[in-house]
Amino acid sequence: MSETTIDALCEKLKTYCSAEEVANVRRAYLFAERAHAGQQRMSGEPYITHPLAVASILADLQLDAPAVMAALLHDVVEDTDVTDANLVETFGAEVAALVDGVTKLKRIKFDSREEQQAENLRKMFMAMAKDIRVLIIKLADRLHNMRTIRYQTPDTQRRKARETLEIFAPLAHRLGINTIKWELEDISLRYLNPQQYYRIVNLMARKRKEREQFIDGVMDLLREKLTEMNLKAEVSGRAKHIYSIYRKMTTQHKEFNEIYDLFAVRVTVENIKDCYGVLGVVHTMWKPMPGRFKDYIAMPKANMYQSLHTTVIGPNGEPLEIQIRTWEMHQTAEYGIAAHWVYKESKTSQRADGDFAKKLAWFREVLEWQQDFRDAQEFMETLKIDLFSDQVFVFTPKGDVIELPAGSVPIDFAYRIHTAIGNRCIGAKVNGKMVPLDYRLRTGDIVEVVTSKHSYGPSRDWLKIVQSSQAKSKIRQWFKREKREENIARGRELIEKEIVRQRLDPKQLMNTPFLTEALHKFSFTKEEDLFAAVGYGGMSAAQVVTRLVEAHKKTLDEKPLDSLSLTSKTQQKPSDTGVRVKGVDNLLIRFARCCHPVPGDEIVGFVTRGRGVSVHRTDCPNVKSLIADGTRALDVEWATNKDWSYNAEIEVTALDRNGLVNEVMNAIAETKTDITAVSARADAKKIAHIHMSVRIRNLDHLRSVVERLKRLKDIYSVRRMVQ
């Protein structure tokens, strides 16, 4: 059926592979075709069309034969009876290792889809440490799945599109493989926001002829001038991608007709000297726009991208973007890390290989710090922050460029220079002036770290202000190594406090069977290791308590519901919680953590398995599903108790600025309200989101806190959280 297609793949490979390598690829195809015989995709096509398409994408990137073979075989272990041992025996250890790195963890049971996705990524990164081709195969696999996503259900389409936009497109960007990144982004937008996608497509079609005529005229003028100056160059036009237009419209709040750089002119030359020569010609022809020149040749992006970008006032007074690069830079801009294989057999191989390890340094850092994260969701969140956030470029006093995640502070810079510099850091100068350690670095800052041999080492508070996972990992390692006994005691204390905070019994939950299950979940062998990890900040006490509660519930879930006792030796009386069940006494009552009811809220009770009565607000999103059958709902009411306080979650949204969090906390302190937890983050639009847990007496008290916060400067909204 697909002999012609495999022939087409082999024809591509013949342009850069030996005859023996092409024969091995054909052998891998025949093996995969037999293994997948009888299997079909949702489109009704034979399953082999998918791995063949993935292999073809890699051939377009000119990846080597073992990678193409692994692409053809990447689903045989997961979806057929073929084993890893079969692959090693038939195709060798290199191909088998690549397949294993891409294979999903289907056979392991996970608590949630998010955890499974995190573990899949974790495994992929581990395989990637040995071979970056694992990730490139995975990206090609996702690209073909997105090209054929129309056969999936609408819910699956949206979920996959969101996952692609949040994880795989940024990964392609980090690898510099823009040909894959742009297509992933455009397809994702089509399924996440079809109305905007097709609106932009239609608007581009209407303006295309007019813009193409304008660009053609510009290119003719530029070619003529470059020929005059004896500069050998190729001039071409490039249309902006749909998703990048959408991003510009949403982030800069522009209408389509306000976006002028729908097309850009690209000039490709032989060497770096000519790049700057062309730049001089361009700036003599048209006036450059202030602040719109970027030299990515002198200061390459983290994904190896190099080019000169300038925006000029072109003919008819229209802004025009011009990109200037060498042919090698262009190859890297299109194919990113994959271009390493294109050049490795050429005369530039020694230089390319020499730079390769440096360009992959950020991946090595991922593998270093990911070991510290025992919880899958925390791993995912940190992954997104550290790898996919915007970057800032700062300078050492000697002029070396250091790249850090946006929002980084001098401590991040210190640890990026050297672990010992970070551990001994006591202050910092930015642009010659002393700044606090929580100062947010900006691109172009010159940073000097002040150290002292007499420093006591990092502070635990640093974990709250550093942005890079590298810095967090080094700080945790210091506490882990230097203060193990103190960490064990601190960790045990934090876990017990968290249990009490959740109004549970430490003696009941800190039993060996429950701790053993938590140890297994977080891959520890000793209780002391678990306590130490909590003590030095490697994981939170709340994560451990969640696992202890789950282990405890398993023992109770074995009993039938109607035989469960809702009373307990540690039960809370109505006067202890401020809530009573109408017509029933001595029931164990707890407040739902999803909605945190407080006196004054309308409430409803729900009978749980082994944990008494869970009290929810009646407007809680979870209530409708919990009491749908009506058999487990109970009437509950508030019993006034002036001395008791209740947990409430508040989110403040405001303009991000220095001192904002301190102002918010001082305002709450003025209302004589205790704060039990605070977390804050700022997004790309400079909007701060501050999430706080506070102790509230009743609904009136909560309203007074909210009103006080709303009176602060630059506050956009204050709302009570419901999870």
Side-chain angles (χ1 to χ4, degrees):
M1 154 278 158
S2 49
E3 193 64 30
T4 303
T5 311
I6 183 60
D7 284 347
L9 172 63
C10 290
E11 287 300 316
K12 286 183 185 179
L13 295 172
K14 285 177 183 177
T15 62
Y16 66 95
C17 290
S18 68
E20 182 183 357
E21 289 174 324
V22 175
N24 285 334
V25 169
R26 188 182 293 273
R27 188 163 59 90
Y29 166 76
L30 294 173
F31 183 95
E33 187 178 42
R34 286 193 299 271
H36 290 298
Q39 296 180 353
Q40 288 187 326
R41 305 201 83 213
M42 294 189 73
S43 62
E45 296 175 298
Y47 193 87
I48 190 63
T49 58
H50 169 63
L52 198 53
V54 175
S56 182
I57 292 169
L58 296 188
D60 289 335
L61 296 175
Q62 294 195 9
L63 241 63
D64 58 6
V68 177
M69 292 167 68
L72 289 166
L73 299 164
H74 79 271
D75 277 334
V76 294
V77 175
E78 184 177 323
D79 295 333
T80 76
D81 295 331
V82 175
T83 64
D84 292 330
N86 296 147
L87 291 182
V88 172
E89 182 181 353
T90 310
F91 299 104
E94 181 183 8
V95 172
L98 290 171
V99 173
D100 181 63
V102 182
T103 300
K104 296 175 185 174
L105 305 180
K106 262 191 172 180
R107 297 171 178 84
I108 300 177
K109 183 178 179 182
F110 295 96
D111 295 335
S112 66
R113 188 191 303 276
E114 291 77 13
E115 186 173 359
Q116 179 160 2
Q117 172 70 347
E119 293 298 343
N120 284 335
L121 280 172
R122 192 193 298 259
K123 182 182 180 187
M124 187 170 66
F125 275 108
M126 290 299 292
M128 202 172 59
K130 301 173 184 175
D131 204 319
I132 193 65
R133 290 172 294 179
V134 168
L135 183 52
I136 302 177
I137 297 168
K138 186 66 179 175
L139 288 172
D141 173 54
R142 175 52 64 111
L143 177 58
H144 183 250
N145 282 331
M146 291 301 290
R147 286 174 176 174
T148 56
I149 200 173
R150 62 185 178 277
Y151 299 107
Q152 300 283 352
T153 64
D155 285 346
T156 301
Q157 289 172 349
R158 286 189 293 272
R159 177 171 57 80
K160 290 287 186 182
R162 187 172 294 106
E163 183 180 88
T164 298
L165 208 52
E166 290 181 355
I167 296 173
F168 290 98
L171 275 172
H173 171 69
R174 269 296 200 164
L175 291 177
I177 310 177
N178 287 318
T179 53
I180 289 181
K181 175 206 171 200
W182 291 324
E183 191 172 352
L184 288 177
E185 288 177 338
D186 284 356
I187 297 173
S188 297
L189 179 63
R190 187 194 312 170
Y191 288 96
L192 286 175
N193 196 337
Q195 185 176 358
Q196 280 286 60
Y197 174 86
Y198 287 110
R199 175 173 173 259
I200 293 171
V201 169
N202 292 333
L203 288 170
M204 286 183 73
R206 289 181 206 165
K207 294 191 71 173
R208 185 177 299 277
K209 187 173 181 181
E210 173 191 339
R211 294 297 300 174
E212 284 180 348
Q213 287 177 348
F214 171 73
I215 291 294
D216 287 343
V218 167
M219 291 193 296
D220 288 341
L221 287 172
L222 189 53
R223 286 191 192 102
E224 185 179 331
K225 192 68 174 178
L226 292 175
T227 302
E228 268 182 44
M229 305 298 293
N230 294 319
L231 283 168
K232 185 180 178 182
E234 180 176 300
V235 182
S236 58
R238 179 187 67 82
K240 207 170 186 70
H241 292 270
I242 297 168
Y243 182 74
S244 61
I245 295 172
Y246 169 77
R247 278 292 303 272
K248 183 165 283 191
M249 290 171 66
T250 53
T251 58
Q252 299 181 16
H253 307 290
K254 289 186 175 182
E255 291 298 321
F256 183 85
N257 57 13
E258 296 178 282
I259 299 175
Y260 297 103
D261 56 344
L262 296 175
F263 288 84
V265 172
R266 179 179 296 142
V267 183
T268 315
V269 295
E270 294 294 332
N271 54 56
I272 293 177
K273 177 174 69 73
D274 287 350
C275 287
Y276 291 97
V278 171
L279 178 68
V281 171
V282 169
H283 283 179
T284 57
M285 294 177 68
W286 301 293
K287 288 185 178 180
M289 292 179 66
R292 295 299 302 272
F293 169 65
K294 294 175 183 176
D295 188 343
Y296 294 120
I297 294 179
M299 198 183 303
K301 291 186 178 181
N303 62 6
M304 304 175 295
Y305 179 88
Q306 288 185 287
S307 187
L308 296 177
H309 287 198
T310 185
T311 302
V312 297
I313 304 298
N316 305 324
E318 287 202 43
L320 171 68
E321 184 183 67
I322 298 178
Q323 301 172 355
I324 309 164
R325 61 181 67 150
T326 67
W327 284 106
E328 186 175 340
M329 290 174 191
H330 178 64
Q331 193 82 6
T332 302
E334 295 295 304
Y335 303 131
I337 280 178
H340 167 75
W341 282 273
V342 176
Y343 283 102
K344 74 175 186 179
E345 299 299 330
S346 70
K347 62 183 180 180
T348 60
S349 64
Q350 188 174 358
R351 180 180 57 75
D353 286 340
D355 292 343
F356 193 59
K358 293 179 182 177
K359 291 169 180 175
L360 285 180
W362 67 277
F363 273 128
R364 303 293 179 255
E365 290 170 18
V366 169
L367 296 165
E368 181 180 326
W369 58 252
Q370 68 92 23
Q371 299 288 349
D372 289 331
F373 293 101
R374 304 276 176 173
D375 181 82
Q377 290 186 345
E378 185 177 6
F379 170 76
M380 284 292 289
E381 288 306 312
T382 312
L383 182 75
K384 291 176 184 178
I385 291 170
D386 209 46
L387 299 187
F388 313 142
S389 63
D390 292 331
Q391 306 293 305
V392 293
F393 298 90
V394 297
F395 296 92
T396 67
K398 293 182 178 180
D400 295 327
V401 179
I402 303 295
E403 178 194 0
L404 294 166
S408 290
V409 298
I411 303 170
D412 291 289
F413 175 87
Y415 278 105
R416 183 59 58 89
I417 299 299
H418 196 278
T419 302
I421 301 294
N423 289 339
R424 294 177 181 175
C425 175
I426 60 170
K429 291 181 180 179
V430 174
N431 303 325
K433 296 180 180 179
M434 290 296 296
V435 296
L437 289 178
D438 62 354
Y439 169 86
R440 290 192 175 186
L441 299 174
R442 301 180 179 89
T443 293
D445 283 344
I446 301 172
V447 187
E448 181 181 353
V449 179
V450 180
T451 62
S452 170
K453 293 181 180 179
H454 305 293
S455 167
Y456 290 106
S459 162
R460 292 187 190 276
D461 291 336
W462 288 8
L463 289 169
K464 300 175 184 176
I465 61 174
V466 293
Q467 184 70 16
S468 66
S469 294
Q470 182 193 29
K472 290 179 182 178
S473 175
K474 297 298 184 183
I475 295 167
R476 287 175 179 137
Q477 284 176 14
W478 188 89
F479 282 107
K480 183 178 182 180
R481 183 180 63 252
E482 299 291 329
K483 299 186 177 182
R484 179 171 170 80
E485 293 303 319
E486 179 185 321
N487 288 333
I488 292 172
R490 176 181 169 82
R492 184 188 292 273
E493 179 186 354
L494 288 172
I495 292 171
E496 289 181 350
K497 281 184 176 179
E498 178 64 21
I499 292 173
V500 172
R501 193 186 75 79
Q502 295 188 26
R503 300 177 189 169
L504 301 170
D505 183 8
K507 291 181 181 178
Q508 190 176 14
L509 284 181
M510 297 283 277
N511 279 336
T512 300
F514 307 142
L515 282 171
T516 300
E517 188 151 339
L519 291 178
H520 176 72
K521 182 65 183 177
F522 295 114
S523 303
F524 289 111
T525 54
K526 299 178 182 178
E527 292 179 10
E528 289 79 4
D529 294 336
L530 176 66
F531 297 146
V534 175
Y536 69 74
M539 59 195 305
S540 70
Q543 291 173 274
V544 177
V545 174
T546 298
R547 298 304 180 190
L548 293 176
V549 170
E550 289 175 357
H552 182 247
K553 283 178 67 179
K554 285 180 182 178
T555 63
L556 296 170
D557 285 344
E558 295 172 0
K559 303 175 184 178
L561 179 61
D562 55 8
S563 69
L564 292 178
S565 170
L566 297 180
T567 60
S568 167
K569 292 179 181 178
T570 59
Q571 70 184 14
Q572 296 156 322
K573 299 175 183 177
S575 58
D576 290 334
T577 61
V579 171
R580 67 164 62 94
V581 179
K582 293 180 181 179
V584 186
D585 292 326
N586 297 325
L587 296 186
L588 174 61
I589 295 174
R590 65 183 184 88
F591 293 103
R593 299 183 67 189
C594 54
C595 57
H596 295 290
V598 300
D601 287 325
E602 293 185 16
I603 53 177
V604 63
F606 169 69
V607 180
T608 63
R609 290 182 178 270
R611 299 182 66 195
V613 176
S614 175
V615 178
H616 293 257
R617 286 161 41 191
T618 54
D619 61 351
C620 174
N622 297 321
V623 165
K624 186 177 294 185
S625 60
L626 290 174
I627 61 175
D629 59 3
T631 60
R632 298 169 73 179
L634 293 174
D635 288 333
V636 292
E637 61 185 359
W638 292 104
T640 304
N641 188 323
K642 297 180 181 178
D643 298 328
W644 192 254
S645 63
Y646 303 82
N647 201 58
E649 305 288 318
I650 299 174
E651 184 182 59
V652 178
T653 305
L655 175 67
D656 185 31
R657 57 178 171 80
N658 287 336
L660 174 66
V661 175
N662 285 337
E663 285 187 27
V664 169
M665 295 181 71
N666 288 337
I668 292 179
E670 290 175 12
T671 65
K672 297 182 179 180
T673 303
D674 291 333
I675 303 173
T676 58
V678 178
S679 64
R681 64 180 178 84
D683 58 26
K685 299 179 183 178
K686 302 297 181 185
I687 304 299
H689 303 272
I690 306 172
H691 184 190
M692 293 176 292
S693 298
V694 294
R695 301 297 295 178
I696 297 295
R697 294 185 300 277
N698 51 44
L699 198 56
D700 288 339
H701 181 192
L702 177 61
R703 286 171 180 153
S704 69
V705 171
V706 171
E707 289 305 315
R708 177 65 186 88
L709 291 173
K710 286 182 176 178
R711 294 201 297 270
L712 292 175
K713 180 183 176 184
D714 299 327
I715 299 295
Y716 296 146
S717 67
V718 182
R719 69 186 185 96
R720 185 178 178 186
M721 298 286 290
V722 179
Q723 298 175 358

